[in-house]
Amino acid sequence: MENNSAKPKKEKIPRHAMPEQEPQLRIRNFDEVPLGYTEKLAIAEAQRCIQCKKPSCVAGCPVDVDIPGFVKLIAEGRFIEAALKLKETNALPAVCGRVCPQEDQCEKVCILAKKGEAVAIGRLERFAADFERNLGDVAVPARAKPNGKRVAVVGAGPSGLTIARDLVGYGYDVTIFEALHKPGGVLVYGIPEFRLPKAIVDAEVDYLRKLGVKIETNVVVGRMKTVDELFAEGYNAVYIAVGAGAPVFMDIPGENLSGIYSANEYLTRSNLMKAYRFPEYDTPIVRGRQVVVIGGGNVAMDSVRTALRLGAEAATIIYRRSEAEMPARAEEVHHAKEEGVKFQLLTNPVEYIGNEQGWVTGVRCQRMELGEPDASGRRRPVAVAGSEFVIPADTVVVAVGTMANPIVPATTPGLDTNPRGYILTKDDSGKTSREGVYAGGDIVTGSATVILAMGAGRQAARAIHEYLSRGEV
Amino acid sequence: MNRIVERQDLSENVVRMVLEAPEIARKRRAGQFIILKIDEKGERIPLTIVDSDAREGTITIIFQVVGKTTAVLARMNAGESLSDVQGPLGNPTEIENFGRVVCIGGGVGVGVVYPLAAALKKAGNHVTSIIGARCKSLLILEQEMKQVSDRLIVATDDGSYGFHGFVSAVLQNMIDAGEKIDRVYAIGPVPMMRVLANLTRPYGIKTIVSLNPIMVDATGMCGACRVSVGGKTKFTCVDGPEFDGHEVDFNLLSNRLRMYSEQEKQTMEAHRCECHGK
Ligand SMILES: Cc1cc2nc3c(=O)[nH]c(=O)nc-3n(C[C@H](O)[C@H](O)[C@H](O)COP(=O)(O)OP(=O)(O)OC[C@H]3O[C@@H](n4cnc5c(N)ncnc54)[C@H](O)[C@@H]3O)c2cc1C
Ligand SMILES: Cc1cc2nc3c(=O)[nH]c(=O)nc-3n(C[C@H](O)[C@H](O)[C@H](O)COP(=O)(O)OP(=O)(O)OC[C@H]3O[C@@H](n4cnc5c(N)ncnc54)[C@H](O)[C@@H]3O)c2cc1C
Ligand code: SF4
Ligand code: SF4
Ligand code: FES
């Protein structure tokens, strides 16, 4: 196609693997599993990119990272410039380089993927961002001239952090209100240290603060103050990015027994509260010997791998469909298997069994088989009659999804939601049924991805800028 | 950061503290609580807002020393600061003129029932308060409760002060004497709330309890605080903390409260060593 590259042979070079901690070693610590490219590996991998004139990869990125641009800079050894190039469009490159499902996004549509292996865009993104951060002295662009208008952002997850960065860039006075004591959303409470070191999120948040973003923690909007009160305080627009944080339970007998956690609680204790370092940190967590995790998504993989690191002798995933239908990233499933996680597929829990102290001792399960495809196109699991059996467990983590937390919608009159409680937006701009109120991220889409939440933040930033520039408000 | 403005021992192991928290002070209503965290490594623990002063920008908490966090907190002094105070959380108490109400507090639960009694009194109710403790030296807030009640009855388990016996016996006597009671508020240790709920059930007296399960985020995100009310799972932090006592599964609550007893012992012992066996 547009291959005018001077080095056509480059395609033959296989994609460079990223060094990783060995499985036997890593299940005894919470350190990051992949170790990152060295400078040499990064340059070699970057040189695989053929610098397409019309790069298909960019269309696969929800925030339009100039992929050939930053990759070229890495190939030339200009790492800091590569990082700055990334930051032009991506507020959190060190995060995205780690947690983006690249195989479904930028890398999926990289031209090289057609014939062989895509350029390792995520790994390169991570490399450049890490290189800059590790130098310590991160450059902060000059502040935009204040335009005198104020925007309140509710929720300091990836969506809220992204819009805040863009809006200060336009000259707005931006304050993020965050319910928890620490900003970052799922990045700090959900995704484990071994996939996303919290020091990285802290550094990204620090950077936003240097850009002039104000962050007020411990403020539950809806309880401490409502959206209407924010307008009354003088904010000209409000962006709601509260995520889809409410846990879903299956509502089966015994689900409230001691030892049974929602994935949110299990991961929050371990990540946000650092319970894996108990008693150095005060928050405890049950270090189960036989841990069963219900679910087949990334959240289930994060939970089960956390359980192993907390010392589980047996850590089992129970999932009602087969591996092909599992929503988790292939890489996560692969890592989990390497670490010794057992997969009990085509199995569904029907009841939890407990002892006299009310502590869970086992999961009564039912075998499933796959029937006709359902609305999602995946084959629907159907229970096999008479197939019940019990898996022993002293700890269970329920990771079957999350739903909208009603606090903000319930306290914001006139804010329309769908029947499941997600906020309705007019279009991609995030405009809601309330004048001046925008929303984006998981509270609009339901549980999705970091980068989509960030993309929504970017688009809403443009929409809010346009709205407030009209001069009516 | 929230500064401790005042600190006072109310009894051997119950402390009252006034904290700087201007926005919470302005917003809070009776029945709501905060989550506090002492420092970087601290646990998030829920405590009821007992009182507030919007002008001074302060809130009052009363807590019993039961484990590491409350022990460390009890040793802090005015002028020191807590890293985090989040609130107000939970639903405010439904306050109306119900008629004749009885507010019952046991142990540190007296601190939790105090703002309710005050609000109910202000709304025009006839308030009888029954407060109890194991012995006289553990009794708290007697004067404060007197001020917000039409009648105050004190009970001690050992008879060292007031009525000799449990608060439930006092309530039983009132019922037996044919007193009209429109509503009961029962707040204290789980066994006390269970006994009181069982006591009023046959008489059909609506009984509100305030539950104290283990919490983490207190915004409805984790489900740690789930309780069973009327056979349905509820999250205490967003659906409560007050529930109809006749519907609550107290067994489940007390089981779940013991979930970390091993670890709690461990931190408490480590803490004792740190402060030289004090
Ligand atoms: C365990 C786990 C692993 C995941 N792994 C991946 C992955 O590998 N890759 C990927 O792309 N995606 C992953 N996801 C999904 C991804 O994290 C989310 O899609 C993304 O974080 C959504 O961003 P958000 O900004 O919309 O919301 P969130 O990240 O949920 O942030 C919302 C923030 O709002 C705050 N908040 C909530 N209510 C209020 C209120 N009333 N007032 C003030 N603040 C409030 C919350 O405390 C939170 O900080 C994972 C999710 C989980 C749970
Ligand atoms: C809505 C609500 C209001 C409360 N109000 C008061 C109050 O006004 N005064 C008061 O003295 N106590 C109150 N409590 C109880 C108080 O939160 C616990 O006593 C405190 O968390 C104990 O912490 P610790 O570290 O000192 O003890 P730990 O050693 O951690 O635990 C001792 C006991 O406290 C319980 N507990 C531990 N961690 C938590 C937690 N994160 N959340 C809830 N309970 C926990 C344990 O089940 C155990 O029974 C309230 C609880 C709730 C849910
Ligand atoms: S942000 Fe995500 S999708 Fe975009 S280039 Fe980076 S890794 Fe790819
Ligand atoms: S990353 Fe792939 S699609 Fe993008 S410019 Fe390079 S070779 Fe082309
Ligand atoms: S404390 Fe987490 S949901 Fe109530």
Side-chain angles (χ1 to χ4, degrees):
Chain A
M1 274 166 50
E2 65 278 58
N3 282 355
N4 61 347
S5 167
K7 305 160 193 151
K9 282 207 192 101
K10 285 275 142 64
E11 284 170 57
K12 298 264 161 59
I13 302 173
R15 181 173 153 117
H16 294 82
M18 181 162 50
E20 286 184 352
Q21 271 200 77
E22 290 302 322
Q24 313 87 284
L25 205 72
R26 71 188 191 227
I27 59 166
R28 293 204 200 93
N29 65 51
F30 274 79
D31 297 342
E32 208 181 356
V33 170
L35 301 171
Y37 279 154
T38 58
E39 291 179 26
K40 231 173 106 190
L41 276 171
I43 292 175
E45 181 62 24
Q47 284 171 345
R48 290 183 63 230
C49 168
I50 56 174
Q51 293 292 316
C52 309
K53 274 272 161 56
K54 286 188 203 141
S56 49
C57 54
V58 176
C61 171
V63 294
D64 303 326
V65 164
D66 176 359
I67 296 169
F70 96 84
V71 171
K72 181 157 188 273
L73 289 165
I74 293 181
E76 291 166 357
R78 295 154 69 187
F79 305 140
I80 296 285
E81 286 158 89
L84 294 179
K85 169 69 72 190
L86 278 162
K87 284 190 178 170
E88 282 172 15
T89 51
N90 185 345
L92 309 168
V95 173
C96 292
R98 288 174 165 82
V99 306
C100 255
Q102 294 105 9
E103 67 280 9
D104 289 326
Q105 297 178 342
C106 53
E107 294 179 10
K108 187 179 184 176
V109 288
C110 163
I111 193 86
L112 299 194
K114 293 216 173 111
K115 290 180 196 142
E117 288 179 299
V119 173
I121 301 169
R123 293 173 186 173
L124 290 172
E125 181 165 338
R126 163 196 170 130
F127 167 81
D130 285 359
F131 185 89
E132 190 201 22
R133 192 185 60 257
N134 292 338
L135 280 190
D137 195 21
V138 174
V140 180
R143 287 205 189 174
K145 201 165 142 275
N147 66 16
K149 293 198 170 126
R150 297 168 72 202
V151 181
V153 175
V154 185
S159 201
L161 295 174
T162 304
I163 195 172
R165 189 194 92 134
D166 285 6
L167 288 172
V168 289
Y170 293 132
Y172 292 94
D173 177 350
V174 184
T175 305
I176 309 183
F177 297 96
E178 166 56 46
L180 292 170
H181 60 268
K182 207 168 157 50
V186 172
L187 306 182
V188 292
Y189 80 71
I191 303 182
E193 181 78 15
F194 55 83
R195 276 213 297 132
L196 178 64
K198 300 308 148 220
I200 291 173
V201 185
D202 293 349
E204 303 274 15
V205 168
D206 269 356
Y207 177 75
L208 287 192
R209 285 209 170 97
K210 283 189 194 140
L211 291 178
V213 174
K214 289 178 248 174
I215 305 180
E216 283 194 32
T217 51
N218 298 316
V219 179
V220 182
V221 170
R223 294 271 194 219
M224 165 85 96
K225 48 180 107 188
T226 61
V227 168
D228 285 307
E229 285 166 325
L230 288 171
F231 281 112
E233 280 178 25
Y235 289 96
N236 304 99
V238 176
Y239 181 65
I240 302 173
V242 292
V248 171
F249 286 97
M250 292 172 67
D251 209 12
I252 57 178
E255 211 168 17
N256 293 335
L257 288 167
S258 296
I260 303 186
Y261 287 102
S262 74
N264 272 0
E265 182 187 354
Y266 195 65
L267 293 170
T268 299
R269 283 183 180 272
S270 182
N271 298 322
L272 179 71
M273 306 311 296
K274 298 221 174 349
Y276 68 89
R277 285 165 70 179
F278 179 90
E280 183 200 346
Y281 281 74
D282 291 341
T283 305
I285 192 165
V286 174
R287 289 178 176 258
R289 291 210 188 129
Q290 293 173 307
V291 184
V292 163
V293 176
I294 318 289
N298 287 321
V299 181
M301 297 309 138
D302 284 344
S303 304
V304 80
R305 296 175 68 200
T306 296
L308 275 178
R309 285 159 175 78
L310 288 172
E313 286 156 17
T316 309
I317 286 275
I318 294 186
Y319 180 55
R320 63 198 180 119
R321 307 187 203 232
S322 71
E323 184 163 345
E325 288 85 19
M326 246 174 3
R329 290 179 67 186
E331 183 187 337
E332 301 309 321
V333 178
H334 168 73
H335 277 143
K337 282 188 175 159
E338 273 187 344
E339 291 168 8
V341 170
K342 285 187 226 154
F343 285 77
Q344 184 77 47
L345 303 172
L346 288 165
T347 302
N348 206 30
V350 289
E351 183 189 358
Y352 297 102
I353 304 162
N355 62 18
E356 295 97 78
Q357 288 81 45
W359 200 287
V360 68
T361 56
V363 189
R364 190 184 304 286
C365 298
Q366 210 169 30
R367 295 206 195 280
M368 312 295 279
E369 55 192 22
L370 292 180
E372 294 300 307
D374 63 11
S376 71
R378 294 180 302 178
R379 293 176 62 196
R380 187 197 304 273
V382 214
V384 178
S387 65
E388 290 193 4
F389 66 104
V390 173
I391 301 180
D394 57 16
T395 307
V396 173
V397 181
V398 182
V400 296
T402 55
M403 56 189 179
N405 187 321
I407 295 185
V408 171
T411 53
T412 313
L415 184 69
D416 291 348
T417 57
N418 73 12
R420 294 168 59 216
Y422 295 108
I423 298 175
L424 290 172
T425 54
K426 296 247 153 48
D427 46 49
D428 288 348
S429 71
K431 200 167 152 43
T432 69
S433 55
R434 275 284 305 266
E435 166 97 14
V437 179
Y438 293 73
D442 281 3
I443 188 61
V444 171
T445 56
S447 192
T449 61
V450 171
I451 194 67
L452 284 173
M454 292 177 61
R458 295 220 78 192
Q459 283 181 315
R462 279 185 222 122
I464 289 177
H465 183 45
E466 199 212 304
Y467 166 68
L468 292 179
S469 305
R470 269 186 252 143
E472 294 159 19
V473 188
Chain B
M1 295 289 261
N2 300 73
R3 208 165 55 89
I4 300 169
V5 181
E6 245 178 87
R7 182 206 175 283
Q8 178 198 358
D9 287 301
L10 291 188
S11 77
E12 198 181 291
N13 62 349
V14 175
V15 176
R16 173 177 165 275
M17 267 184 185
V18 178
L19 307 175
E20 220 168 52
E23 290 206 89
I24 302 175
R26 270 203 300 279
K27 271 311 265 233
R28 62 76 55 161
R29 284 156 64 198
Q32 290 186 299
F33 63 96
I34 55 164
I35 286 268
L36 69 77
K37 187 164 160 288
I38 293 178
D39 54 23
E40 164 66 22
K41 295 182 176 174
E43 186 173 7
R44 296 167 61 93
I45 68 156
L47 292 171
T48 303
I49 307 169
V50 173
D51 208 347
S52 60
D53 185 330
R55 276 232 314 281
E56 296 290 317
T58 58
I59 57 171
T60 303
I61 52 171
I62 294 179
F63 59 92
Q64 180 170 8
V65 175
V66 292
K68 161 108 191 251
T69 307
T70 45
V72 173
L73 190 62
R75 291 163 55 87
M76 292 179 78
N77 293 308
E80 292 182 74
S81 290
L82 308 176
S83 71
D84 298 277
V85 174
Q86 175 198 33
L89 298 161
N91 296 307
T93 309
E94 183 197 345
I95 300 290
E96 272 176 43
N97 189 345
F98 299 106
R100 296 178 71 89
V101 300
V102 180
C103 294
I104 309 175
V108 73
V110 179
V112 182
V113 91
Y114 167 73
L116 270 60
L120 287 162
K121 174 82 185 131
K122 216 171 139 197
N125 291 279
H126 178 276
V127 178
T128 300
S129 295
I130 310 173
I131 61 174
R134 281 210 312 280
C135 60
K136 183 176 182 198
S137 65
L138 294 178
L139 191 74
I140 60 167
L141 299 184
E142 187 186 356
Q143 288 316 311
E144 288 82 349
M145 285 301 287
K146 202 174 243 160
Q147 275 172 25
V148 299
S149 312
D150 293 281
R151 172 171 54 157
L152 176 74
I153 303 165
V154 177
T156 51
D157 299 358
D158 67 352
S160 51
Y161 188 53
F163 178 85
H164 184 172
F166 295 128
V167 288
S168 50
V170 178
L171 182 67
Q172 185 71 60
N173 290 343
M174 286 173 68
I175 294 172
D176 292 346
E179 275 196 42
K180 178 175 171 289
I181 301 172
D182 295 302
R183 222 170 228 247
V184 169
Y185 292 82
I187 303 173
V190 177
M192 179 200 112
M193 293 194 284
R194 184 204 319 252
V195 164
L196 286 165
N198 287 340
L199 192 163
T200 56
R201 189 179 287 112
Y203 304 100
I205 303 170
K206 179 116 176 158
T207 299
I208 306 292
V209 294
S210 180
L211 303 185
N212 59 340
I214 292 177
M215 293 189 173
V216 183
D217 65 300
T219 65
M221 182 269 274
C222 77
C225 63
R226 58 198 197 276
V227 291
S228 176
V229 182
K232 291 214 170 66
T233 296
K234 300 275 178 195
F235 289 4
T236 306
C237 65
V238 288
D239 300 325
E242 289 166 18
F243 293 101
D244 179 346
H246 295 157
E247 303 276 321
V248 171
D249 181 344
F250 288 105
N251 245 341
L252 180 76
L253 177 64
S254 43
N255 282 342
R256 287 187 62 87
L257 277 167
R258 282 196 299 269
M259 206 161 140
Y260 300 98
S261 40
E262 281 307 304
Q263 287 103 319
E264 283 156 2
K265 252 185 265 152
Q266 199 186 332
T267 39
M268 205 42 199
E269 268 150 31
H271 171 71
R272 279 211 196 88
C273 298
E274 267 169 40
C275 45
H276 314 290
K278 267 190 241 167

